[in-house]
Amino acid sequence: MTVTAGPPSRTPRSARATQIAAAARAILEGEGEAALTMRRLADDLGIRAPSLYKHFPDKAALLVALIEEALAEV
């Protein structure tokens, strides 16, 4: 009997959280990790930084979401 594993399940995200993650990824890919701050991310999205925390509790959680996304792509 062969058992195959499907793709890993990711935490479902709202449309806004997906938009935030995409903007964070663009900053990371374009300028590196040092450039990614929650304040910078909020500025790029045209929102206030506290609004980000409704979708990601902190920067570490955002980075985990980006890692999950990258692993799913592989």
Side-chain angles (χ1 to χ4, degrees), residues 16-17 19-21 23 37-56:
R16 186 63 162 163
Q19 181 185 29
I20 291 167
T37 65
M38 297 302 264
R39 184 171 306 280
R40 161 72 190 281
L41 181 57
D43 287 346
D44 282 8
L45 290 166
I47 61 175
R48 296 179 53 218
S51 299
L52 295 172
Y53 297 100
K54 294 177 186 175
H55 304 281
F56 296 97

Side-chain angles (χ1 to χ4, degrees), residues 1-69:
M1 177 165 129
T2 303
V3 177
T4 58
S9 62
R10 294 186 340 209
T11 305
R13 287 191 222 144
S14 67
R16 186 63 162 163
T18 299
Q19 181 185 29
I20 291 167
R25 184 174 180 172
I27 293 169
L28 280 175
E29 290 176 352
E31 300 175 45
E33 186 177 355
L36 179 61
T37 65
M38 297 302 264
R39 184 171 306 280
R40 161 72 190 281
L41 181 57
D43 287 346
D44 282 8
L45 290 166
I47 61 175
R48 296 179 53 218
S51 299
L52 295 172
Y53 297 100
K54 294 177 186 175
H55 304 281
F56 296 97
D58 53 27
K59 182 179 173 182
L62 174 60
L63 292 173
V64 167
L66 294 174
I67 291 166
E68 287 177 347
E69 187 176 285

